[in-house]
Amino acid sequence: MPKKAGQSVLDGVDEVEVTYGQILYEPEGPIRKVYFPIDCLVSLLTAVDSRRSLEVGMVGNEGMVGMPMALGIPVSAVCALVQGSGRALTMSAARFRTEFRVNLALQHALFRYNHLLMAQISQTAACNRFHEAGPRLARWLLMTADRMGSDEFRLTHEFLAHMLGIRRVGVTRAAGVLEKKKLIAYSRGHIQILKRKGLEAAACSCYRIVKDLQDHTHDR
Ligand SMILES: [Zn+2]
């Protein structure tokens, strides 16, 4: 939750545990609660047809899941899937609506976050079209590590293929290259970043563009 906005809203806020694979919203589904990740990570997925979907955004402790609520829309356009288990603060949609109307600090923080999320989604759209699997994988691992606050997390190649919209064999190949360079270690569904600087060098430029924007977009 945005720091400045958190003080006055504690009344209607609960802490919950969300788990890997849990779906918080279905595409076109109602938003009954909003979530402020503490140490969990949530993927935003857009359905491409009835069977396929692609990750278009990632939300960690820098943001909120359920941003349409801040725009007055109680419906999610995307699927919100828990990618990393952990804790989140949650608030009912009704409580959020009331609080958002009167809490200027919360409004300000979420307008700023909306800008950053839009930038992340736009960059990801271009990234998915133009960048190769290897640099995209490196970017994805860095984004995950930043939001989880950890260089070690649970992952399967199948899940990664789903997130990156590439075939499983493509993920295996790209991960193999990063492993060979000793930038990451992968075993039994656990991934560990060994050399962060090296992984940043292997990532496409999209990682730095979005991170710099996030680090340097201050309240105005
Ligand atoms: Zn890229």
Side-chain angles (χ1 to χ4, degrees), residues 127 131 136 139 204 206:
C127 186
H131 288 153
R136 280 173 54 206
R139 176 196 178 208
C204 62
C206 302

Side-chain angles (χ1 to χ4, degrees), residues 75-199:
V75 174
S76 177
V78 293
C79 172
L81 171 80
V82 178
Q83 178 193 311
S85 300
R87 295 164 301 149
L89 296 175
T90 185
M91 198 190 284
S92 73
R95 175 83 181 96
F96 174 81
R97 204 177 287 121
T98 306
E99 184 63 34
F100 189 70
R101 205 175 295 140
V102 297
N103 187 331
L104 291 181
L106 182 64
Q107 283 180 23
H108 195 74
L110 290 181
F111 289 149
R112 176 180 177 276
Y113 175 63
N114 194 54
H115 169 69
L116 294 172
L117 183 63
M118 287 291 291
Q120 189 205 126
I121 290 171
S122 310
Q123 196 68 41
T124 301
C127 186
N128 285 336
R129 172 66 182 83
F130 291 119
H131 288 153
E132 300 293 331
R136 280 173 54 206
L137 172 63
R139 176 196 178 208
W140 193 92
L141 294 172
L142 290 164
M143 286 179 67
T144 299
D146 290 348
R147 283 160 183 78
M148 296 286 284
S150 167
D151 278 347
E152 219 168 319
F153 36 85
R154 181 184 157 186
L155 269 186
T156 63
H157 282 196
E158 196 175 354
F159 183 82
L160 268 171
H162 192 57
M163 291 300 114
L164 295 169
I166 49 183
R167 290 168 58 210
R168 200 173 171 281
V169 62
V171 171
T172 304
R173 197 180 301 132
V177 171
L178 297 178
E179 271 189 291
K180 214 169 191 177
K181 290 181 182 168
K182 302 210 181 325
L183 302 179
I184 62 168
Y186 182 85
S187 116
R188 292 186 206 151
H190 278 83
I191 202 146
Q192 191 182 0
I193 296 176
L194 301 174
K195 288 181 192 157
R196 204 189 153 88
K197 280 269 173 282
L199 195 60

